[in-house]
Amino acid sequence: MSFDGMFTHAMVNELNTTLKGGRIAKIQQPFANELILTIRSNRKNQQLLLSAHPNYARIQITDQPFENPAKPSTFVMSLRKYITSAIVQGFRQLHNDRVVMIDLSAKNELGDIHAYTMIIEIMSRHSNIFLVNNESGKIIDLIKRVSPENNSFRGLLPGDTYQLPPAQDKLNPFKAAVEEFTDSKTAADIRNKFEGIGLDTSQELASILSTQGDPITFVQSFDDLVSPNTAKQEKNNKLGFFPVEFKNTTKIVGYYPTLGQLLDNYYLDRARVDRIEQQTKSVTHRLSIILKKDRSKIKKLEKQFKQTKIMDEYNLYGELLTTYMSQITRGEKSITLTNYYNNEEVKIKLNPELSPSENAQAYYKKYRKLQNSIPHINQQLDLANAEVNYLDSVIASLDYVDIEDVDGIIEELEESGYIKKKKKNRRRKKKKSVGERFTTSTGVSIVVGKNNIENDKLTMKLAQKNHYWLHVKDIPGSHVILESSDPDEQSIVEAASIAAYYSKARESSKVPVDYLQVRNIHKPNGAKPGFVIFEGQKTILVDPDRNLVEKLKA
């Protein structure tokens, strides 16, 4: 289900129940299109996420951690000036549209109370977040500024009078009469007639109508259905999120106690990958250029290596020309001689300007040149292939690491010389522990490396030789250490599932994972970070399991 007007309706009710009357304690903008308001409500800090992302626009309470950027944006500075310590008077929805208004009251420097409205418009690439002065109706600031040349309908700059988005002239389903629903024949009819009803909701209502059901009852009881412990994630060909149970068109996958937790689960990977892409766009572009050059180099080297296969022919030609030199006349362009190794006739091209002896020496020279090039070609192939495998593993790791692990990967690339080192802040950095820790259901500790430098430290320096090492078979992934010399079968399965989850095979099933004791792991001299060799491993097939990973986190 999309974040349509019906889902917005349910979310506004949840936000009023949880945050109404709370006080804004902190304002931050961790990413370009996302705002976090930390609201103190019922003696608890809650994070309200407002996202104007073109693909993931939404409003929700989130439990996900967000780091505060070192330098606040202009938008955040404006918000901090006007609504720090503001009281949340309530949340409102514009009819049944995807527009949510947060009513705020805040004191200025003189202690006078002023009213403001924070507005989030959830409209795909046109999504935006505004702070509006209620007394003047003017926009104080907004997260996406749009020049008049790109928007002729309304002003989208600070100081402009706030205007609502263009009206759709549709009916609010929560105020519609029975006959207005029964007049609709198809899901498309319902979407065209009613405001804020997305594809999935319209298909459910159309299905109710087709079975002589009562769509009005479904709509009128909607608020009662969205109660604690009934928010759910459902599947209708593809994974989606739904505020109530759609009995006719979907299959239930999982239940969540709140809509916020439902969205956290649904958007976790999608938003994470997008944020990582934002942070690493220039880095991945740089790596893709290097990879392109390496792959082109490998093709050329392989072509050169194929040419070395004819060097034995050159050696043979030199031998035959030397043996039968008395039969060769200067000025000939070719000669056919008998190969005394197999008695077959061999036609040999000659340079008519060279003597028979010089022709023989020319073939010996070609032979020696190709022979001498083999070690160099093999060495360059090994280096190029090692670099491709390493960079592939780094890029792959961006698909499964968490957002807070990106800095470690960038530092790894800086240390390896692939990107320029940025000027470091002089403030002393806190020492970070190596890897992320988990505990199996039987009490055995697990450590997971989150980049190749951590992988090396874990495997080659920190892990005990009798502990067990796990890694997905032939696929980029994290090194996983199971801190036991004699682990039980359940611990091995759980550690393997974690290894599969922190790998490029995260979305696959029946993933092969190798495991063996650390004493059997070796790192070749000069090998890239994270590269090891081993033998004597066993292999187990497991499914990556996010719920298990969350459950076992230390």
Side-chain angles (χ1 to χ4, degrees):
M1 180 177 181
S2 61
F3 204 111
D4 66 2
M6 301 294 284
F7 198 99
T8 305
H9 178 94
M11 181 58 75
V12 165
N13 287 342
E14 179 170 291
L15 296 176
N16 274 318
T17 301
T18 309
L19 300 179
K20 186 175 180 179
R23 179 179 59 84
I24 296 177
K26 187 177 180 181
I27 303 169
Q28 59 190 108
Q29 188 180 346
F31 303 100
N33 297 315
E34 294 179 336
L35 184 72
I36 295 288
L37 302 180
T38 301
I39 298 175
R40 183 74 176 175
S41 178
N42 298 318
R43 292 182 291 183
K44 181 182 178 183
N45 285 342
Q46 306 246 38
Q47 290 187 132
L48 178 64
L49 167 65
L50 295 90
S51 174
H53 190 283
N55 298 320
Y56 313 128
R58 64 197 187 279
I59 179 171
Q60 66 165 106
I61 295 171
T62 179
D63 294 326
Q64 298 303 312
F66 293 90
E67 287 196 13
N68 200 12
K71 185 178 180 181
S73 66
T74 303
F75 183 53
V76 166
M77 294 296 287
S78 296
L79 297 184
R80 289 175 180 174
K81 178 180 177 180
Y82 289 97
I83 61 170
T84 295
S85 299
I87 303 299
V88 178
Q89 300 296 335
F91 296 80
R92 293 180 287 123
Q93 181 184 13
L94 177 65
H95 310 305
N96 195 48
D97 204 352
R98 294 169 298 168
V99 177
V100 178
M101 301 176 177
I102 310 171
D103 295 320
L104 305 169
S105 60
K107 292 181 179 180
N108 63 12
E109 297 87 347
L110 301 175
D112 299 325
I113 296 177
H114 292 272
Y116 302 97
T117 301
M118 179 161 278
I119 304 167
I120 177 170
E121 299 175 354
I122 303 169
M123 299 175 179
S124 300
R125 64 189 181 89
H126 299 295
S127 298
N128 216 328
I129 303 169
F130 305 80
L131 180 64
V132 176
N133 186 321
N134 287 8
E135 296 167 8
S136 64
K138 302 286 187 183
I139 299 171
I140 294 173
D141 210 341
L142 65 167
I143 203 165
K144 295 180 185 177
R145 301 183 179 189
V146 182
S147 64
E149 293 81 11
N150 296 323
N151 182 63
S152 58
F153 177 78
R154 57 177 180 161
L156 291 174
L157 292 172
D160 288 335
T161 299
Y162 175 76
Q163 288 180 269
L164 290 170
Q168 295 180 316
D169 296 324
K170 293 183 181 181
L171 299 175
N172 185 338
F174 290 98
K175 296 181 179 180
V178 176
E179 58 272 12
E180 289 171 325
F181 274 100
T182 54
D183 286 346
S184 304
K185 303 299 182 184
T186 65
D189 290 340
I190 293 171
R191 290 197 302 278
N192 291 332
K193 180 179 286 189
F194 296 100
E195 182 181 38
I197 291 185
L199 178 63
D200 294 311
T201 309
S202 67
Q203 288 176 345
E204 179 70 12
L205 290 170
S207 177
I208 292 171
L209 283 168
S210 67
T211 56
Q212 307 301 313
D214 183 5
I216 273 291
T217 301
F218 174 83
V219 173
Q220 290 178 344
S221 61
F222 189 82
D223 291 344
D224 296 328
L225 295 172
V226 186
S227 58
N229 303 314
T230 59
K232 58 188 66 66
Q233 190 172 4
E234 305 186 8
K235 192 170 184 180
N236 182 11
N237 296 326
K238 61 180 181 178
L239 210 58
F241 55 88
F242 299 77
V244 300
E245 185 175 346
F246 283 13
K247 296 180 179 179
N248 294 7
T249 55
T250 60
K251 176 184 175 183
I252 298 170
V253 174
Y255 292 87
Y256 299 85
T258 67
L259 297 176
Q261 291 180 38
L262 167 67
L263 293 180
D264 270 351
N265 181 277
Y266 181 79
Y267 282 114
L268 185 62
D269 271 344
R270 292 164 177 80
R272 176 186 59 80
V273 170
D274 181 76
R275 289 166 186 155
I276 288 173
E277 284 179 354
Q278 287 182 38
Q279 282 197 329
T280 61
K281 191 173 182 180
S282 61
V283 174
T284 52
H285 177 68
R286 166 71 178 155
L287 297 186
S288 65
I289 291 173
I290 298 172
L291 278 170
K292 186 176 180 181
K293 289 180 179 177
D294 281 341
R295 290 188 171 114
S296 176
K297 182 179 179 180
I298 288 170
K299 284 184 179 180
K300 291 178 180 177
L301 288 168
E302 287 175 342
K303 187 177 180 181
Q304 289 176 18
F305 190 79
K306 285 181 181 178
Q307 291 176 347
T308 65
K309 292 181 179 179
I310 63 171
M311 69 179 185
D312 289 335
E313 291 183 19
Y314 292 159
N315 187 46
L316 175 64
Y317 295 166
E319 286 185 12
L320 294 179
L321 290 175
T322 302
T323 302
Y324 299 109
M325 194 171 297
S326 60
Q327 301 179 23
I328 306 169
T329 304
R330 186 178 185 130
E332 290 182 306
K333 293 183 178 180
S334 66
I335 189 171
T336 301
L337 301 173
T338 301
N339 180 354
Y340 40 74
Y341 291 110
N342 56 18
N343 293 321
E344 291 181 358
E345 297 296 309
V346 178
K347 187 176 182 179
I348 303 173
K349 288 184 179 180
L350 300 173
N351 185 340
E353 296 180 359
L354 300 179
S355 68
S357 176
E358 289 171 335
N359 270 295
Q361 291 304 314
Y363 276 113
Y364 279 133
K365 186 177 180 180
K366 288 181 180 179
Y367 164 74
R368 287 191 297 271
K369 184 178 179 180
L370 290 175
Q371 188 182 47
N372 293 335
S373 71
I374 291 176
H376 175 74
I377 292 172
N378 284 331
Q379 181 188 37
Q380 292 300 308
L381 270 173
D382 288 343
L383 290 173
N385 280 314
E387 185 166 73
V388 166
N389 292 334
Y390 169 69
L391 294 180
D392 276 341
S393 74
V394 172
I395 292 174
S397 69
L398 296 174
D399 291 336
Y400 59 80
V401 299
D402 296 323
I403 188 70
E404 58 268 23
D405 302 314
V406 171
D407 286 345
I409 292 174
I410 290 175
E411 286 178 13
E412 173 190 332
L413 292 169
E414 288 176 345
E415 290 182 20
S416 301
Y418 287 101
I419 57 177
K420 290 183 178 178
K421 288 187 177 183
K422 295 180 180 178
K423 290 183 179 179
K424 302 295 182 183
N425 196 322
R426 289 188 178 182
R427 288 184 300 177
R428 185 177 294 178
K429 286 189 174 182
K430 292 181 181 179
K431 283 190 176 180
K432 292 175 65 177
S433 57
V434 176
E436 187 167 357
R437 288 201 160 265
F438 301 82
T439 304
T440 70
S441 54
T442 57
V444 182
S445 294
I446 298 172
V447 193
V448 179
K450 303 307 284 290
N451 57 61
N452 285 308
I453 290 177
E454 281 195 0
N455 288 338
D456 275 354
K457 287 180 180 177
L458 277 179
T459 303
M460 309 311 300
K461 294 182 180 180
L462 302 180
Q464 295 182 23
K465 297 298 182 184
N466 60 347
H467 287 170
Y468 275 77
W469 179 89
L470 300 94
H471 192 282
V472 286
K473 189 178 185 68
D474 301 327
I475 299 172
S478 293
H479 291 201
V480 175
I481 303 297
L482 183 59
E483 295 183 331
S484 171
S485 59
D486 186 23
D488 58 279
E489 186 177 346
Q490 180 66 21
S491 293
I492 292 173
V493 171
E494 290 176 353
S497 296
I498 291 173
Y501 182 77
Y502 286 103
S503 78
K504 198 173 182 179
R506 174 177 284 192
E507 302 299 329
S508 305
S509 60
K510 303 302 178 188
V511 178
V513 176
D514 292 332
Y515 68 98
L516 69 164
Q517 286 188 309
V518 174
R519 68 175 77 256
N520 297 312
I521 306 291
H522 305 285
K523 187 173 184 66
N525 290 333
K528 293 288 184 183
F531 179 80
V532 293
I533 56 175
F534 52 89
E535 57 184 13
Q537 73 275 15
K538 294 181 180 178
T539 304
I540 183 174
L541 294 176
V542 294
D543 293 331
D545 188 340
R546 175 189 293 160
N547 293 329
L548 177 69
V549 169
E550 294 297 325
K551 179 182 175 183
L552 300 182
K553 273 188 178 178

